[in-house]
Each structure stands twice: as C-alpha cells, then as structure tokens.
Amino acid sequence: MTDTTLNLSHQLKLPCGAVLANRIAKSGMSEQLADRDGAPTDKLRRLYACWARSGAGLLITGNVMINRDGLVEPRNIVLDDDRNLADFATWADTVHAGGTAAVWMQINHPGRVATVPFTRRPVAPSAAREPVPGYNLRKPRELTGTRIQELIRSYGRTAELAVAAGFDGVQIHAAHGYLLSQFLSPLANTRDDHYGRDAVGRRRALLETVAAVRAAVGPHVPVSVKLNSKDFQHGGFTESDSLDVAVALADAGVDLLEISGGNYAEPAMEGVHHTGEAYFADYTRKVRDRVDIPLMLTGGLRTRATMETLLRDGVDLIGMARPMAFVPDYPARVLAGEAEPVLPAGPRPLGYRPLDGYLQLAAHNAQFHRIADGRTPHTHAGLGTVLRALGKMSAAMAGQAVLPR
C-alpha cells in the first residue's frame, strides 16, 4: 500500500524498532582508507565527519571485510577480531557526533574477485573463473561445506564486533558479484550439494548468513541485505530469481532490503545499462507487490521530484552514492528544496563495460581521498583525475600489509 503523504523528511521506523531520521541514505561505496593492518584511519574518520553533516538519515559504510583471506581492493577495512576495536568505536563516534545520522557497517567477502596480490588463489562457490580480465587469470578454489559454514560464522562475528564498536546496524552485501552474490548466480555456483543444485540451494548460504548475523546482534539491531535485481548476464541471476530471494529474506526477518544490480562483468550499478534516473525502479515495484518489508532503492537518483514519487510508489528509503562523492551535502540540499547540483559526467566511456565501470569507481574514490585530506571535491571527473586515482591505488596496493592466511 502506498502513502501519498510521504516526503523525504519523514522518519522511517524499521521492523526491529530502530528509527531513521529521514528517507535519504548514503549507500555503501568502498573508501580504501584503511591502514596497513586494515583498521580505520584518521582520513576515513574525516570523510565520515563530512558525511555525518550531509543531511542523510543513514550512512552505510563501504566494504568491511569479514576476514583477511580476501580483499576487494587495497586498503579495505578488515574487522575479524577485536585488535583494533577502539579505532572502529572512534569511527562510529565520529558519525554520531556530527548529527542525527545512523551508521551501519556493510560487511562483505569478495570470493573470486579478491585483489590479485593478496590472494593467489581466491575461493568461490565453484571453481569457475570470473569472466573479467585480471580476475579470470586465477581459477578459484571451490569452498568446502565446512569452509562455507566457517565464513557464515565470520559474518556473524564481524556483525557482533560492529555493534560492540557502536555501529547502529549492519548490512550484508549480497550484490555486485561478491561472494554471497556468487552463491546466488547459476553461472558462479554450479555446486551439486545443498549450497547449490537449484535456486533454493543457491540462496541457502545467504539465508544462513542472515540467521547468523541476527543471532549475533539480537532482535533490536537493524539487519539489512543489499541484493541485485539481476546480474545482467545471460544465464545468470535473473529478476525472477531475485524476487524469490526477496520473499525469502522478508520471511527471514531482515529490516531493510537495498536494491541494486550488476557486477564486475556488467556494472549496471554504475549506469552502463541505463539512462535517466532510478535504474532499478521497475524491479522495485515488483518487489513491493511481493513483500512488505522496507525497501531502499539505489542507482541514478538525482532529483527530489523523482525521489518523492518513488516514496509514494512504495520505496521507503532513497539511496545515494555517486552524488555524495562530488557534493557531500547533496541530501541536505535536496531536503531543503534547493535546485539539484550539477554533477560531472565522469570519464568518457571507452566501450568496454567492465573497464568503464572500474574507471567510474576510480573517479569516485579520488573524491573520497580529497575529502579525507580536507580538500573540496573536484568539479570534474576526467581521465586525468582517474589516472591519478589509479596511481594512488597502485601505490596503496604495493604498500598493503594485510596478507591472507
């Protein structure tokens, strides 16, 4: 049922009882601002101090790795034990001191798309290569059933530590081609045991992860899942599959389902399959017809008019990502009714989707580092900016000391 009176400034009460201050959230974007041990840095805290004043009611962190045997990028945050818990507590405190925003930790494992220098042999649901240059050089090891259960417990442990450090909730990343997304994909998961075989088996690892996280954080802490609408790959995770997973997640008691789409091979989350606003709105309407849990839509949203139309159509929370890399207070401007800022177009597409998506990510990451250094973001995102960002990423990769077991 839709509510024609909703607007962006209204609070959102989640099933667990937590309340968000308004209907705009910063969606997770990988910051790559950890120290050599995977701990939060002063730069990361400066970035979040800025976003804490952004006007958003919720900040969802970028990738926080559940253990050290796989990183998505160099300088990812890692939370797999309590060695740096005080640094994580300071990170959460930074957000809480800056305003009314809640902060949730996005927890993740890369599976077969782990960063090359730190994982010579990545793991995956099946021994199938990622079809993207760079990743397809390495054939992953198929996870044993015992190792899958260990990883599921690791998700629960990271969630427990996040809440102990003062984070207000957690989001399980099951989109964009990472490990739990790989389990959902018929292309990446060809197992013949109860973690594969059919659609029910392929979603088992995700549902068991949700149960482990819920058990770790208790009934009153928000537990969210980020889910692809589809993978945009022939023979992969389809919209029909995704709708069934959404129903299963609602039955499992998640507090918020964030909808996105795509992966490294088909980076739909970066807009390569779409024009205009609200990349995944049609799918979201179909989910709303099937479930009544809160829904967050991320991807291509820019204008207040579109955002409020979506709220009245059944979306509960508006997710913003790229705009907040270039205009950190974008939510506050939208909430105030100001004209939406003009955003840079980003690097010129080269025509190869995986590379175009990666260049977009590099352009965003360059702005995070500028904000973290106390500088204002660029008003452009040309190739020169991206190349400098890639140089910094390479230097970070060379100096990374978080090594896999």
Side-chain angles (χ1 to χ4, degrees):
M1 182 180 295
T2 60
D3 183 348
T4 58
T5 68
L6 274 179
N7 65 59
L8 293 167
S9 64
H10 286 176
Q11 293 182 337
L12 174 61
K13 185 174 182 178
L14 301 173
C16 66
V19 177
L20 302 179
N22 60 50
R23 300 301 181 104
I24 301 181
K26 183 200 79 69
S27 186
M29 297 178 283
S30 188
E31 307 94 359
Q32 300 178 42
L33 285 167
D35 69 12
R36 292 166 62 88
D37 194 37
T41 59
D42 288 340
K43 287 188 175 184
L44 183 69
R45 287 185 280 272
R46 281 198 292 272
L47 175 62
Y48 274 81
C50 179
W51 279 334
R53 302 186 299 271
S54 68
L58 171 64
L59 306 180
I60 301 177
T61 74
N63 291 307
V64 174
M65 299 294 101
I66 62 168
N67 60 32
R68 291 160 200 272
D69 64 2
L71 304 180
V72 177
E73 304 103 350
R75 302 290 180 163
N76 278 149
I77 302 292
V78 182
L79 181 57
D80 57 358
D81 57 36
D82 61 1
R83 75 182 75 176
N84 297 311
L85 202 60
D87 294 315
F88 284 91
T90 305
W91 183 13
D93 290 344
T94 297
V95 175
H96 295 144
T100 60
V103 57
W104 295 359
M105 183 180 288
Q106 183 186 83
I107 59 178
N108 195 12
H109 189 287
R112 66 185 187 179
V113 294
T115 309
V116 175
F118 317 122
T119 308
R120 293 189 181 91
R121 189 80 184 277
V123 297
S126 300
R129 288 181 171 87
E130 170 65 33
V132 174
Y135 295 114
N136 62 8
L137 298 176
R138 303 168 301 158
K139 187 174 182 179
R141 289 175 292 149
E142 179 172 306
L143 287 162
T144 65
T146 298
R147 183 61 180 145
I148 292 170
Q149 292 162 16
E150 289 174 354
L151 287 171
I152 289 169
R153 289 193 292 272
S154 293
Y155 278 96
R157 176 60 172 157
T158 297
E160 179 182 34
L161 290 167
V163 173
F167 285 80
D168 302 296
V170 292
Q171 182 182 75
I172 300 164
H173 203 329
H176 299 175
Y178 299 125
L179 180 63
L180 291 173
S181 180
Q182 292 162 29
F183 270 101
L184 294 172
S185 167
L187 294 176
N189 182 356
T190 59
R191 303 175 69 93
D192 60 5
D193 65 0
H194 68 303
Y195 286 111
R197 191 178 298 122
D198 56 21
V200 173
R202 289 193 293 271
R203 60 179 176 257
R204 191 182 308 277
L206 173 57
L207 294 175
E208 289 185 0
T209 299
V210 169
V213 168
R214 176 60 76 193
V217 303
H220 304 302
V221 173
V223 174
S224 170
V225 171
K226 187 165 190 169
L227 180 69
N228 273 355
S229 56
K230 59 182 178 180
D231 288 348
F232 294 86
Q233 289 177 286
H234 180 70
F237 185 63
T238 67
E239 191 175 275
S240 177
D241 293 332
S242 185
L243 287 168
D244 289 341
V245 173
V247 171
L249 290 170
D251 291 342
V254 301
D255 294 292
L256 180 71
L257 180 63
E258 181 184 0
I259 294 165
S260 186
N263 52 33
Y264 280 73
E266 295 289 343
M269 61 284 194
E270 296 296 324
V272 300
H273 283 269
H274 307 277
T275 58
E277 291 193 81
Y279 302 157
F280 312 108
D282 289 344
Y283 168 83
T284 306
R285 295 185 185 99
K286 296 174 185 177
V287 177
R288 176 50 71 220
D289 289 340
R290 299 278 299 272
V291 304
D292 60 4
I293 58 172
L295 300 178
M296 173 176 165
L297 178 61
T298 302
L301 294 166
R302 301 291 184 267
T303 64
R304 181 183 180 114
T306 296
M307 295 175 193
E308 294 203 327
T309 296
L310 289 166
L311 289 183
R312 293 160 190 159
D313 283 348
V315 173
D316 298 280
L317 194 62
I318 299 298
M320 301 190 75
R322 182 174 175 269
M324 292 180 67
F326 292 94
V327 184
D329 64 345
Y330 202 112
R333 298 188 189 196
V334 170
L335 289 166
E338 298 179 13
E340 292 82 7
V342 176
L343 298 173
R348 179 180 296 177
L350 301 177
Y352 180 53
R353 286 171 177 166
L355 180 57
D356 287 337
Y358 189 74
L359 292 177
Q360 286 282 350
L361 291 173
H364 307 161
N365 190 260
Q367 307 316 309
F368 302 157
H369 285 252
R370 287 185 64 84
I371 297 169
D373 286 336
R375 297 181 291 167
T376 57
H378 277 131
T379 57
H380 61 279
L383 185 59
T385 299
V386 173
L387 291 176
R388 286 191 292 273
L390 291 173
K392 289 183 178 180
M393 291 168 66
S394 297
M397 189 174 293
Q400 179 78 34
V402 176
L403 299 176
R405 289 188 295 268

